[in-house]
Amino acid sequence: MRISVIGVGYVGLVTGACFAETGNDVICMDIDRDKIEKLKKGVIPIYEPHLEEIVKNNIKEGRLSFTTEIKKAVDHGLIIFICVNTPQDEDGSADLKYVMEVAENIGKNMDKYRIVVVKSTVPVGTCEKVKETIEGELKKRGAEVTFDIASNPEFLKEGVAVDDCMKPERVVIGVEHERVEEILRELYAPYTRTGAPFIVMDVRSSEMTKYAANSMLATRISFMNQMANICEKVGADVMMVMRGIGSDSRIGPKFLFPGVGFGGSCFPKDVRALIKTSMTNNYRPSILEMVMEVNDEQKKTFVDKIKGFYKGDLKGRRFAIWGLAFKPNTDDMREAPSIYIVNALTKEGAFCNLFDPKAMGVARGIFKGNSSIAFAKNQYDALKDVDAMVLVTEWLSFREPDYERMKTLMKAPVIFDGRNQYNLRTMAKMGFTYICIGRPPVLK
Ligand SMILES: NC(=O)c1ccc[n+]([C@@H]2O[C@H](COP(=O)([O-])OP(=O)(O)OC[C@H]3O[C@@H](n4cnc5c(N)ncnc54)[C@H](O)[C@@H]3O)[C@@H](O)[C@H]2O)c1
């Protein structure tokens, strides 16, 4: 099938490459010239496992190409996927200016039947607006072209995005006509062959499904963070409680890890956007409001813990920060808890040595101008002469570090673990002071 993808970010690039991988003829379009020039040469602008391999392979096979010309993209694909960003607007709602820009451009350039599929995460009713905008543009130039609109929310997880795309747990589409369902069913057939459900619904329910999914996951995290905080008060170990409840099939083990709060390009903005949608419709979503409040509080509580350990004075203290990306296996730092934590520590007069296996480049941009930080060459380099190590993102290489080597490098053997990565007994045996989340601390 001929496919066009508009917006070549984490979602667009992975989607385009994965559609090409099963034999489709894909053109990816973006307004970012620099990004497109790099991609044409096979240079991948983001870190995502296995992505480089399939992008390069499909460029070579002639099934994947890149352009900055919208006309070329609209002419090419029977199906046009809108994958542009929908960032948070000032009032918490989703900013739809990029989606609407694309809709306008499609309307200006469409000459034959097209199926326009919105993959970006958008509030309920957006597909209708996209449709009206395209119709408006067609009318302006007196073009009598038919088209269909569909919603197809994306559920990929950064870090395992290629795998999620090639083997989705489910595909959700929202359509107005059976003819669109049939074409999308055919497009997705290679990915759902092993039995993943292909769920067809109306457009509004499909748009809502994405927000409900992210809100549910964010709720589980905030719930567990609250459990962790209660565990600390009563002397229980939240990791034991987690295992205890996760084995209940009604609850399940996933997304129960307590930590420093969720971040990333989706959960915070999507929960806020759903709150806004709900309020606009005269309904106060109190659970979601608390999910965000608990999350904001969780980051602050972690910094307060560090501050409390040093009796409220962080001036002149040095910390190694292990992990900056909002989660492992990505370089994405959008709304990463590390940003809050590093800024809060340095604001209190501390110095931070930062290290992340993949997000150093992104971090340099984010912390530009902060003179109280340094970028380390590797995780051990970050530990030189520090008062403590602060673990923020649970990269695999941090899980079994060389504890002896750590102790020789650090000024004091102290770990603040925002992801509960280490065993309490090992910490005690190795002589570390260990402060984590929802578990009794190991104090020397
Ligand atoms: N990143 C994720 O893990 C993820 C997962 C599921 C859903 N989503 C949703 O998918 C959408 C895209 O997210 P992302 O993380 O890929 O965003 P991104 O910021 O990585 O990429 C968006 C791309 O769109 C391009 N763009 C903006 N306006 C454009 C225009 N008018 N024409 C052409 N290109 C344009 C930008 O230059 C950028 O390259 C968002 O709505 C997001 O909420 C993201």
Side-chain angles (χ1 to χ4, degrees):
M1 251 182 241
R2 287 161 76 96
I3 309 286
S4 295
V5 173
I6 317 245
V8 192
Y10 284 87
V11 167
L13 185 56
V14 173
T15 303
C18 289
F19 281 143
E21 185 71 2
T22 53
N24 296 293
D25 182 359
V26 183
I27 285 190
C28 291
M29 181 270 162
D30 203 289
I31 44 170
D32 185 334
R33 287 180 183 281
D34 191 42
K35 191 184 261 190
I36 292 298
E37 278 319 305
K38 283 188 179 136
L39 281 164
K40 279 181 179 171
K41 292 180 200 134
V43 178
I44 312 298
I46 52 170
Y47 173 72
E48 185 60 49
H50 312 300
L51 185 58
E52 185 168 352
E53 207 176 300
I54 60 165
V55 168
K56 282 188 170 160
N57 183 40
N58 283 288
I59 293 177
K60 203 172 99 212
E61 297 294 331
R63 290 191 297 256
L64 180 64
S65 60
F66 298 93
T67 183
T68 51
E69 291 171 48
I70 186 74
K71 174 101 182 95
K72 215 166 155 184
V74 176
D75 280 348
H76 175 81
L78 164 67
I79 311 176
I80 303 172
F81 281 93
I82 302 181
C83 300
V84 296
N85 38 333
T86 48
Q88 187 181 309
D89 213 341
E90 276 161 21
D91 63 356
S93 62
D95 183 349
L96 295 175
K97 68 170 176 272
Y98 305 111
V99 172
M100 289 309 160
E101 227 170 75
V102 174
E104 229 179 274
N105 290 335
I106 292 175
K108 281 185 178 138
N109 288 285
M110 196 163 62
D111 292 325
K112 43 187 169 305
Y113 174 74
R114 293 288 173 252
I115 299 171
V116 178
V117 183
V118 180
K119 205 174 238 318
S120 298
T121 302
V122 292
V124 174
T126 303
C127 283
E128 285 162 31
K129 286 188 195 152
V130 167
K131 189 176 170 183
E132 282 163 20
T133 304
I134 297 174
E135 279 167 352
E137 288 301 326
L138 289 173
K139 209 167 161 195
K140 269 191 213 164
R141 58 187 177 95
E144 282 184 26
V145 184
T146 55
F147 70 97
D148 279 308
I149 188 94
S151 156
N152 173 214
E154 182 51 62
F155 298 103
L156 63 76
K157 303 181 285 295
E158 284 177 23
V160 282
V162 171
D163 223 40
D164 280 347
C165 230
M166 296 305 292
K167 288 176 267 171
E169 283 187 340
R170 84 296 209 185
V171 173
V172 170
I173 61 158
V175 291
E176 292 174 333
H177 300 289
E178 218 171 289
R179 58 178 185 250
V180 180
E181 176 190 334
E182 270 166 31
I183 293 172
L184 291 177
R185 196 182 280 281
E186 192 187 326
L187 174 68
Y188 276 110
Y191 309 90
T192 51
R193 281 178 55 171
T194 46
F198 184 84
I199 307 167
V200 185
M201 56 183 82
D202 62 280
V203 172
R204 284 185 164 243
S205 303
S206 168
E207 291 172 324
M208 182 67 191
T209 297
K210 175 66 192 175
Y211 282 101
N214 276 358
S215 297
M216 177 71 203
L217 294 170
T219 302
R220 277 174 79 101
I221 296 175
S222 278
F223 173 83
M224 275 316 280
N225 281 337
Q226 200 152 67
M227 289 302 112
N229 297 341
I230 299 173
C231 282
E232 276 180 23
K233 298 281 179 209
V234 299
D237 181 338
V238 73
M239 300 311 274
M240 292 296 128
V241 175
M242 186 181 85
R243 286 188 62 195
I245 63 168
S247 50
D248 183 327
S249 63
R250 292 169 303 176
I251 297 173
K254 290 187 179 164
F255 261 81
L256 289 182
F257 286 89
V260 287
F262 56 78
S265 61
C266 293
F267 287 3
K269 85 166 169 69
D270 291 349
V271 177
R272 286 189 203 111
L274 187 54
I275 292 173
K276 186 72 192 167
T277 299
S278 188
M279 293 296 264
T280 311
N281 286 280
N282 304 316
Y283 177 72
R284 186 163 185 192
S286 48
I287 293 179
L288 299 182
E289 286 178 337
M290 285 316 295
V291 165
M292 288 313 296
E293 198 176 313
V294 169
N295 195 56
D296 291 341
E297 202 55 38
Q298 193 69 4
K299 291 179 253 184
K300 195 169 165 289
T301 306
F302 186 60
V303 172
D304 285 347
K305 241 183 215 178
I306 300 174
K307 213 169 139 186
F309 182 80
Y310 297 104
K311 311 227 168 352
D313 187 8
L314 293 179
K315 267 194 213 86
R317 295 279 173 195
R318 293 180 78 86
F319 297 104
I321 309 291
W322 276 14
L324 302 167
F326 85 92
K327 66 173 180 179
N329 291 321
T330 180
D331 59 353
D332 197 344
M333 281 186 66
R334 288 179 278 188
E335 296 216 34
S338 66
I339 302 174
Y340 175 86
I341 293 165
V342 170
N343 285 337
L345 293 175
T346 54
K347 203 169 156 207
E348 293 281 339
F351 188 90
C352 293
N353 273 343
L354 314 183
F355 178 71
D356 186 282
K358 294 289 174 196
M360 296 299 263
V362 181
R364 277 178 212 279
I366 288 175
F367 295 116
K368 207 164 147 190
N370 187 338
S371 55
S372 302
I373 56 162
F375 294 94
K377 287 200 267 309
N378 55 52
Q379 67 196 66
Y380 294 103
D381 181 41
L383 295 173
K384 274 183 208 151
D385 293 325
V386 296
D387 291 281
M389 182 271 267
V390 181
L391 192 146
V392 183
T393 314
E394 67 280 32
W395 283 89
L396 269 182
S397 60
F398 301 157
R399 293 208 183 158
E400 279 295 336
D402 182 340
Y403 297 119
E404 288 299 347
R405 188 172 168 199
M406 288 175 76
K407 282 198 293 184
T408 59
L409 291 163
M410 298 167 79
K411 203 156 47 179
V414 180
I415 295 176
F416 295 96
D417 183 354
R419 301 288 177 181
N420 287 354
Q421 290 300 285
Y422 305 124
N423 183 288
L424 296 173
R425 248 182 274 154
T426 310
M427 288 289 100
K429 201 172 91 198
M430 296 305 300
F432 278 94
T433 290
Y434 180 62
I435 293 162
C436 45
I437 311 276
R439 294 192 291 175
V442 175
L443 301 170
K444 281 207 303 168

